[in-house]
Amino acid sequence: MTATLAGPGPEFPLRDCFCLADGASAALVHDATCIFWCAPGFDGPLRLARILDPLRGGSVGLRPAGVHDDPRGDWVSLSGLARWTWSEGTTVTCGLVSGSAGDAICWLAEGRLGTELELRLQDPAAAGRWEVEGRLARIPAAGPQDGPLGPLELASSEPLRPGPSGSRLTLPRAGAALWLWLPDRGKPSPPLLPGGGPAAVGAVRQLLEEARAGAEGWIGALLLGPLGARLAGTPGWARRALLRSLVTLRQLQSRRSGLLVASPLTSIPQWPGSSRAWDYRYAWLRDCADAGTALAHAGALEEAEAVGRGLARVLEASEGSVPPPVG
């Protein structure tokens, strides 16, 4: 399946997208541009949905200005972070992290001092238009339940200036950071970027490093157990695929229910051009049982037990037919 984005550029296969998830919500990112996000949970309303509607879905992306080549994207080791590198040397790392007021999507840009970066903000048509002032961008209005919703807020560690096709910021020596979150009155924004500058960038870098280390530590602990013995002699490509699959299962396991969402996306057509599109943000009982078994075989007993408890709650609560539980 391919997806078409508004503006210049060819179609791209969905396999070129990176799914960022943390057990609470999930986002789809392509070339450092977030094209899908449901929040505050897996079953939350659409916030950005350019993957579904190129003209009205909304997106947020960061890239070096005036550079038209496609970046090289890859996972950051075995973490849930993705990183893109452009030919002129700029790198952008993107992650989904949890804060005191919920999840936030962050970008960390690094490269040559003085590089001009372009922040592309596409309006979710139903939610309103982005308003940019100083280091902040926001969509203050909400939208209908069947379309992308506001409000949304974005903070930059550097001042935002008008540019030919969006807002621009200049890359300082310490790098630049962006945070996108759902504003909630009475709660601190996750995280606060007081004053911007190197301190804000350092805070973002530290949180991303903690996320990377946490994922690698989890995999490392599994490899010290039966999983390490099972993988002895396994070809490198197969080993990487298996470990990446385990990381993905863990990220798509709901902290709330212990079950795994079948897919973090909603409304993807059954095939290109199809009008048949359903919401797959449910936990399928059979697939959850299979995933729990796989986690147990890998030595992830805590995660496997959470799956079992979640399935038990669903089955005990049902009389007769079993509805598909929301992840």
Side-chain angles (χ1 to χ4, degrees), residues 250-294:
R250 187 187 186 215
Q251 292 172 339
L252 294 180
Q253 183 175 23
S254 170
R255 300 176 195 157
R256 185 177 62 190
S257 69
L259 301 179
L260 292 88
V261 294
S263 168
L265 301 180
T266 174
S267 307
I268 294 293
Q270 293 295 289
W271 55 82
S274 168
S275 61
R276 304 179 69 182
W278 295 300
D279 194 333
Y280 283 101
R281 295 173 297 162
Y282 292 98
W284 296 351
L285 303 184
R286 178 198 61 193
D287 292 357
C288 279
D290 289 343
T293 301

Tab-separated table of all heavy atoms in Angstrom, residues 250-294:
chain	number	residue	atom	x	y	z
A	250	ARG	N	6.010	-4.699	22.982
A	250	ARG	CA	6.007	-4.015	24.274
A	250	ARG	C	5.436	-2.601	24.154
A	250	ARG	O	4.678	-2.144	25.013
A	250	ARG	CB	7.431	-3.960	24.827
A	250	ARG	CG	7.521	-3.414	26.244
A	250	ARG	CD	8.962	-3.238	26.649
A	250	ARG	NE	9.119	-2.854	28.038
A	250	ARG	CZ	10.056	-2.041	28.477
A	250	ARG	NH1	10.939	-1.528	27.634
A	250	ARG	NH2	10.143	-1.746	29.753
A	251	GLN	N	5.785	-1.893	23.078
A	251	GLN	CA	5.313	-0.527	22.909
A	251	GLN	C	3.814	-0.470	22.634
A	251	GLN	O	3.152	0.516	22.980
A	251	GLN	CB	6.069	0.140	21.759
A	251	GLN	CG	7.538	0.373	22.056
A	251	GLN	CD	8.293	0.842	20.833
A	251	GLN	OE1	7.855	0.639	19.700
A	251	GLN	NE2	9.435	1.469	21.052
A	252	LEU	N	3.266	-1.502	22.001
A	252	LEU	CA	1.844	-1.517	21.662
A	252	LEU	C	1.008	-2.210	22.735
A	252	LEU	O	-0.177	-2.442	22.527
A	252	LEU	CB	1.635	-2.207	20.309
A	252	LEU	CG	2.229	-1.477	19.106
A	252	LEU	CD1	1.971	-2.254	17.826
A	252	LEU	CD2	1.652	-0.061	18.984
A	253	GLN	N	1.610	-2.540	23.866
A	253	GLN	CA	0.876	-3.119	24.980
A	253	GLN	C	0.333	-2.006	25.857
A	253	GLN	O	1.087	-1.217	26.432
A	253	GLN	CB	1.766	-4.054	25.799
A	253	GLN	CG	1.028	-4.740	26.934
A	253	GLN	CD	1.895	-5.754	27.656
A	253	GLN	OE1	3.119	-5.684	27.620
A	253	GLN	NE2	1.254	-6.708	28.318
A	254	SER	N	-0.965	-1.932	25.951
A	254	SER	CA	-1.603	-0.860	26.708
A	254	SER	C	-1.266	-0.965	28.191
A	254	SER	O	-1.448	-2.016	28.812
A	254	SER	CB	-3.122	-0.924	26.516
A	254	SER	OG	-3.777	-0.050	27.409
A	255	ARG	N	-0.792	0.138	28.768
A	255	ARG	CA	-0.546	0.160	30.211
A	255	ARG	C	-1.839	0.022	30.990
A	255	ARG	O	-1.851	-0.475	32.114
A	255	ARG	CB	0.118	1.490	30.595
A	255	ARG	CG	1.445	1.765	29.934
A	255	ARG	CD	1.913	3.147	30.344
A	255	ARG	NE	2.997	3.624	29.501
A	255	ARG	CZ	3.294	4.898	29.341
A	255	ARG	NH1	2.583	5.820	29.975
A	255	ARG	NH2	4.294	5.277	28.568
A	256	ARG	N	-2.920	0.443	30.383
A	256	ARG	CA	-4.204	0.461	31.085
A	256	ARG	C	-4.817	-0.930	31.183
A	256	ARG	O	-5.285	-1.341	32.240
A	256	ARG	CB	-5.163	1.409	30.354
A	256	ARG	CG	-6.494	1.608	31.046
A	256	ARG	CD	-7.316	2.613	30.281
A	256	ARG	NE	-7.608	2.152	28.930
A	256	ARG	CZ	-8.140	2.924	27.997
A	256	ARG	NH1	-8.379	4.198	28.256
A	256	ARG	NH2	-8.390	2.446	26.797
A	257	SER	N	-4.815	-1.677	30.081
A	257	SER	CA	-5.487	-2.973	30.063
A	257	SER	C	-4.534	-4.162	30.066
A	257	SER	O	-4.945	-5.275	30.378
A	257	SER	CB	-6.375	-3.067	28.819
A	257	SER	OG	-5.582	-3.153	27.643
A	258	GLY	N	-3.262	-3.942	29.704
A	258	GLY	CA	-2.331	-5.050	29.569
A	258	GLY	C	-2.420	-5.754	28.240
A	258	GLY	O	-1.596	-6.624	27.932
A	259	LEU	N	-3.407	-5.397	27.418
A	259	LEU	CA	-3.593	-6.029	26.111
A	259	LEU	C	-2.866	-5.238	25.028
A	259	LEU	O	-2.479	-4.086	25.226
A	259	LEU	CB	-5.077	-6.135	25.793
A	259	LEU	CG	-5.909	-6.931	26.811
A	259	LEU	CD1	-7.366	-6.956	26.401
A	259	LEU	CD2	-5.370	-8.348	26.963
A	260	LEU	N	-2.687	-5.860	23.877
A	260	LEU	CA	-1.964	-5.235	22.775
A	260	LEU	C	-2.946	-4.825	21.688
A	260	LEU	O	-3.810	-5.620	21.282
A	260	LEU	CB	-0.922	-6.197	22.176
A	260	LEU	CG	0.260	-6.539	23.082
A	260	LEU	CD1	-0.063	-7.747	23.951
A	260	LEU	CD2	1.500	-6.822	22.251
A	261	VAL	N	-2.813	-3.581	21.207
A	261	VAL	CA	-3.704	-3.126	20.148
A	261	VAL	C	-3.361	-3.864	18.858
A	261	VAL	O	-2.195	-4.154	18.576
A	261	VAL	CB	-3.595	-1.602	19.925
A	261	VAL	CG1	-4.095	-0.856	21.147
A	261	VAL	CG2	-2.182	-1.182	19.579
A	262	ALA	N	-4.399	-4.197	18.091
A	262	ALA	CA	-4.170	-4.882	16.823
A	262	ALA	C	-3.390	-3.987	15.874
A	262	ALA	O	-2.501	-4.436	15.153
A	262	ALA	CB	-5.501	-5.283	16.197
A	263	SER	N	-3.719	-2.700	15.876
A	263	SER	CA	-3.004	-1.701	15.086
A	263	SER	C	-3.263	-0.346	15.728
A	263	SER	O	-4.386	-0.090	16.176
A	263	SER	CB	-3.481	-1.692	13.632
A	263	SER	OG	-2.979	-0.547	12.948
A	264	PRO	N	-2.262	0.520	15.802
A	264	PRO	CA	-2.496	1.843	16.400
A	264	PRO	C	-3.220	2.801	15.469
A	264	PRO	O	-3.523	3.916	15.861
A	264	PRO	CB	-1.080	2.343	16.691
A	264	PRO	CG	-0.230	1.672	15.662
A	264	PRO	CD	-0.847	0.322	15.449
A	265	LEU	N	-3.504	2.378	14.238
A	265	LEU	CA	-4.099	3.275	13.251
A	265	LEU	C	-5.593	3.035	13.112
A	265	LEU	O	-6.099	1.944	13.341
A	265	LEU	CB	-3.442	3.080	11.874
A	265	LEU	CG	-1.936	3.308	11.807
A	265	LEU	CD1	-1.451	3.083	10.387
A	265	LEU	CD2	-1.581	4.704	12.260
A	266	THR	N	-6.289	4.074	12.714
A	266	THR	CA	-7.699	3.968	12.385
A	266	THR	C	-7.929	4.440	10.958
A	266	THR	O	-7.204	5.305	10.452
A	266	THR	CB	-8.566	4.816	13.325
A	266	THR	OG1	-9.927	4.776	12.861
A	266	THR	CG2	-8.132	6.257	13.359
A	267	SER	N	-8.912	3.828	10.294
A	267	SER	CA	-9.417	4.307	9.004
A	267	SER	C	-8.463	4.108	7.840
A	267	SER	O	-8.607	4.756	6.805
A	267	SER	CB	-9.796	5.801	9.099
A	267	SER	OG	-10.680	6.005	10.171
A	268	ILE	N	-7.471	3.223	7.974
A	268	ILE	CA	-6.643	2.885	6.824
A	268	ILE	C	-7.472	2.029	5.870
A	268	ILE	O	-8.079	1.036	6.293
A	268	ILE	CB	-5.379	2.122	7.265
A	268	ILE	CG1	-4.490	3.031	8.105
A	268	ILE	CG2	-4.610	1.586	6.076
A	268	ILE	CD1	-3.881	4.178	7.335
A	269	PRO	N	-7.546	2.351	4.577
A	269	PRO	CA	-8.344	1.539	3.641
A	269	PRO	C	-7.848	0.093	3.573
A	269	PRO	O	-6.676	-0.195	3.782
A	269	PRO	CB	-8.134	2.255	2.305
A	269	PRO	CG	-7.718	3.644	2.670
A	269	PRO	CD	-6.944	3.518	3.935
A	270	GLN	N	-8.764	-0.800	3.283
A	270	GLN	CA	-8.421	-2.209	3.180
A	270	GLN	C	-7.434	-2.468	2.047
A	270	GLN	O	-6.627	-3.379	2.117
A	270	GLN	CB	-9.674	-3.042	2.953
A	270	GLN	CG	-10.612	-3.032	4.152
A	270	GLN	CD	-9.979	-3.696	5.362
A	270	GLN	OE1	-9.818	-4.906	5.387
A	270	GLN	NE2	-9.619	-2.911	6.352
A	271	TRP	N	-7.510	-1.696	0.997
A	271	TRP	CA	-6.553	-1.757	-0.105
A	271	TRP	C	-6.543	-0.383	-0.765
A	271	TRP	O	-7.454	0.418	-0.541
A	271	TRP	CB	-6.930	-2.855	-1.111
A	271	TRP	CG	-8.313	-2.754	-1.659
A	271	TRP	CD1	-8.749	-1.959	-2.682
A	271	TRP	CD2	-9.473	-3.455	-1.181
A	271	TRP	NE1	-10.082	-2.126	-2.882
A	271	TRP	CE2	-10.560	-3.042	-1.984
A	271	TRP	CE3	-9.688	-4.398	-0.166
A	271	TRP	CZ2	-11.850	-3.538	-1.796
A	271	TRP	CZ3	-10.977	-4.882	0.013
A	271	TRP	CH2	-12.027	-4.454	-0.793
A	272	PRO	N	-5.525	-0.039	-1.546
A	272	PRO	CA	-5.457	1.297	-2.143
A	272	PRO	C	-6.720	1.637	-2.929
A	272	PRO	O	-7.153	0.871	-3.788
A	272	PRO	CB	-4.226	1.215	-3.047
A	272	PRO	CG	-3.374	0.168	-2.405
A	272	PRO	CD	-4.333	-0.844	-1.844
A	273	GLY	N	-7.311	2.753	-2.604
A	273	GLY	CA	-8.510	3.199	-3.287
A	273	GLY	C	-9.789	2.621	-2.734
A	273	GLY	O	-10.884	2.976	-3.181
A	274	SER	N	-9.701	1.743	-1.722
A	274	SER	CA	-10.898	1.112	-1.176
A	274	SER	C	-11.656	2.078	-0.282
A	274	SER	O	-11.073	2.892	0.422
A	274	SER	CB	-10.493	-0.132	-0.382
A	274	SER	OG	-11.593	-0.606	0.378
A	275	SER	N	-12.986	1.969	-0.302
A	275	SER	CA	-13.818	2.763	0.608
A	275	SER	C	-14.058	2.025	1.924
A	275	SER	O	-14.700	2.558	2.827
A	275	SER	CB	-15.168	3.065	-0.050
A	275	SER	OG	-15.856	1.857	-0.345
A	276	ARG	N	-13.538	0.807	2.027
A	276	ARG	CA	-13.730	0.013	3.236
A	276	ARG	C	-12.598	0.347	4.218
A	276	ARG	O	-11.449	-0.011	4.002
A	276	ARG	CB	-13.736	-1.477	2.918
A	276	ARG	CG	-14.782	-1.856	1.890
A	276	ARG	CD	-14.731	-3.347	1.592
A	276	ARG	NE	-15.185	-4.153	2.720
A	276	ARG	CZ	-15.200	-5.479	2.710
A	276	ARG	NH1	-14.764	-6.136	1.648
A	276	ARG	NH2	-15.641	-6.152	3.759
A	277	ALA	N	-12.936	1.045	5.255
A	277	ALA	CA	-11.939	1.460	6.236
A	277	ALA	C	-12.553	1.340	7.623
A	277	ALA	O	-13.612	1.904	7.894
A	277	ALA	CB	-11.494	2.898	5.971
A	278	TRP	N	-11.860	0.611	8.498
A	278	TRP	CA	-12.371	0.406	9.837
A	278	TRP	C	-11.326	0.786	10.873
A	278	TRP	O	-10.153	0.934	10.562
A	278	TRP	CB	-12.783	-1.064	10.028
A	278	TRP	CG	-13.933	-1.456	9.156
A	278	TRP	CD1	-15.196	-0.918	9.138
A	278	TRP	CD2	-13.922	-2.450	8.133
A	278	TRP	NE1	-15.975	-1.516	8.202
A	278	TRP	CE2	-15.206	-2.482	7.550
A	278	TRP	CE3	-12.972	-3.337	7.665
A	278	TRP	CZ2	-15.551	-3.347	6.535
A	278	TRP	CZ3	-13.322	-4.193	6.640
A	278	TRP	CH2	-14.596	-4.200	6.089
A	279	ASP	N	-11.794	0.878	12.101
A	279	ASP	CA	-10.919	1.216	13.212
A	279	ASP	C	-10.342	-0.078	13.789
A	279	ASP	O	-11.074	-0.938	14.264
A	279	ASP	CB	-11.720	1.962	14.283
A	279	ASP	CG	-10.820	2.639	15.307
A	279	ASP	OD1	-9.698	2.155	15.513
A	279	ASP	OD2	-11.257	3.649	15.881
A	280	TYR	N	-9.020	-0.212	13.724
A	280	TYR	CA	-8.364	-1.420	14.214
A	280	TYR	C	-7.704	-1.213	15.582
A	280	TYR	O	-6.899	-2.035	15.990
A	280	TYR	CB	-7.306	-1.881	13.214
A	280	TYR	CG	-7.895	-2.567	12.009
A	280	TYR	CD1	-8.031	-1.893	10.797
A	280	TYR	CD2	-8.334	-3.879	12.085
A	280	TYR	CE1	-8.586	-2.519	9.701
A	280	TYR	CE2	-8.875	-4.517	10.985
A	280	TYR	CZ	-9.010	-3.834	9.793
A	280	TYR	OH	-9.552	-4.447	8.709
A	281	ARG	N	-8.048	-0.138	16.266
A	281	ARG	CA	-7.415	0.116	17.565
A	281	ARG	C	-8.117	-0.684	18.666
A	281	ARG	O	-8.558	-0.157	19.669
A	281	ARG	CB	-7.425	1.610	17.861
A	281	ARG	CG	-6.588	2.430	16.901
A	281	ARG	CD	-6.780	3.901	17.139
A	281	ARG	NE	-8.157	4.291	16.886
A	281	ARG	CZ	-8.709	5.420	17.327
A	281	ARG	NH1	-7.999	6.243	18.070
A	281	ARG	NH2	-9.952	5.714	17.049
A	282	TYR	N	-8.206	-1.975	18.415
A	282	TYR	CA	-8.789	-2.890	19.385
A	282	TYR	C	-7.779	-3.970	19.730
A	282	TYR	O	-6.797	-4.177	19.012
A	282	TYR	CB	-10.051	-3.549	18.817
A	282	TYR	CG	-11.201	-2.616	18.612
A	282	TYR	CD1	-11.463	-2.068	17.362
A	282	TYR	CD2	-12.035	-2.262	19.674
A	282	TYR	CE1	-12.522	-1.198	17.166
A	282	TYR	CE2	-13.094	-1.393	19.491
A	282	TYR	CZ	-13.336	-0.860	18.239
A	282	TYR	OH	-14.376	-0.002	18.060
A	283	ALA	N	-8.040	-4.669	20.818
A	283	ALA	CA	-7.214	-5.816	21.183
A	283	ALA	C	-7.958	-7.077	20.746
A	283	ALA	O	-9.050	-7.357	21.242
A	283	ALA	CB	-6.974	-5.831	22.693
A	284	TRP	N	-7.378	-7.803	19.817
A	284	TRP	CA	-7.994	-9.040	19.344
A	284	TRP	C	-7.566	-10.171	20.270
A	284	TRP	O	-6.370	-10.398	20.507
A	284	TRP	CB	-7.587	-9.323	17.900
A	284	TRP	CG	-8.087	-8.287	16.940
A	284	TRP	CD1	-8.971	-7.286	17.201
A	284	TRP	CD2	-7.733	-8.141	15.559
A	284	TRP	NE1	-9.188	-6.527	16.078
A	284	TRP	CE2	-8.446	-7.025	15.062
A	284	TRP	CE3	-6.889	-8.841	14.699
A	284	TRP	CZ2	-8.336	-6.606	13.744
A	284	TRP	CZ3	-6.784	-8.422	13.385
A	284	TRP	CH2	-7.501	-7.320	12.913
A	285	LEU	N	-8.539	-10.905	20.803
A	285	LEU	CA	-8.254	-11.897	21.834
A	285	LEU	C	-7.266	-12.955	21.358
A	285	LEU	O	-6.328	-13.319	22.072
A	285	LEU	CB	-9.557	-12.543	22.307
A	285	LEU	CG	-10.624	-11.570	22.848
A	285	LEU	CD1	-11.815	-12.339	23.383
A	285	LEU	CD2	-10.050	-10.670	23.916
A	286	ARG	N	-7.478	-13.472	20.165
A	286	ARG	CA	-6.576	-14.505	19.654
A	286	ARG	C	-5.166	-13.974	19.502
A	286	ARG	O	-4.193	-14.615	19.929
A	286	ARG	CB	-7.087	-15.007	18.295
A	286	ARG	CG	-6.201	-16.051	17.635
A	286	ARG	CD	-6.514	-16.153	16.163
A	286	ARG	NE	-6.255	-14.877	15.490
A	286	ARG	CZ	-6.671	-14.600	14.245
A	286	ARG	NH1	-7.364	-15.478	13.570
A	286	ARG	NH2	-6.387	-13.428	13.703
A	287	ASP	N	-5.030	-12.804	18.913
A	287	ASP	CA	-3.702	-12.238	18.687
A	287	ASP	C	-3.024	-11.881	20.003
A	287	ASP	O	-1.805	-12.015	20.148
A	287	ASP	CB	-3.794	-11.004	17.794
A	287	ASP	CG	-4.207	-11.359	16.371
A	287	ASP	OD1	-4.352	-12.564	16.090
A	287	ASP	OD2	-4.380	-10.439	15.547
A	288	CYS	N	-3.815	-11.410	20.981
A	288	CYS	CA	-3.229	-11.093	22.284
A	288	CYS	C	-2.706	-12.359	22.959
A	288	CYS	O	-1.633	-12.338	23.582
A	288	CYS	CB	-4.267	-10.431	23.181
A	288	CYS	SG	-4.486	-8.670	22.847
A	289	ALA	N	-3.452	-13.447	22.833
A	289	ALA	CA	-2.991	-14.704	23.417
A	289	ALA	C	-1.693	-15.151	22.760
A	289	ALA	O	-0.752	-15.590	23.443
A	289	ALA	CB	-4.066	-15.776	23.264
A	290	ASP	N	-1.613	-15.032	21.431
A	290	ASP	CA	-0.378	-15.402	20.722
A	290	ASP	C	0.780	-14.506	21.148
A	290	ASP	O	1.910	-14.975	21.361
A	290	ASP	CB	-0.589	-15.310	19.209
A	290	ASP	CG	-1.503	-16.404	18.676
A	290	ASP	OD1	-1.702	-17.403	19.399
A	290	ASP	OD2	-2.023	-16.253	17.559
A	291	ALA	N	0.509	-13.200	21.263
A	291	ALA	CA	1.564	-12.267	21.665
A	291	ALA	C	2.026	-12.556	23.086
A	291	ALA	O	3.225	-12.501	23.388
A	291	ALA	CB	1.071	-10.827	21.545
A	292	GLY	N	1.088	-12.866	23.980
A	292	GLY	CA	1.462	-13.199	25.347
A	292	GLY	C	2.333	-14.438	25.411
A	292	GLY	O	3.308	-14.497	26.181
A	293	THR	N	2.005	-15.432	24.573
A	293	THR	CA	2.825	-16.641	24.514
A	293	THR	C	4.228	-16.320	24.020
A	293	THR	O	5.231	-16.809	24.558
A	293	THR	CB	2.163	-17.681	23.595
A	293	THR	OG1	0.864	-18.005	24.099
A	293	THR	CG2	2.998	-18.948	23.518
A	294	ALA	N	4.308	-15.479	22.987
A	294	ALA	CA	5.618	-15.103	22.448
A	294	ALA	C	6.442	-14.351	23.485
A	294	ALA	O	7.651	-14.588	23.628
A	294	ALA	CB	5.436	-14.246	21.191
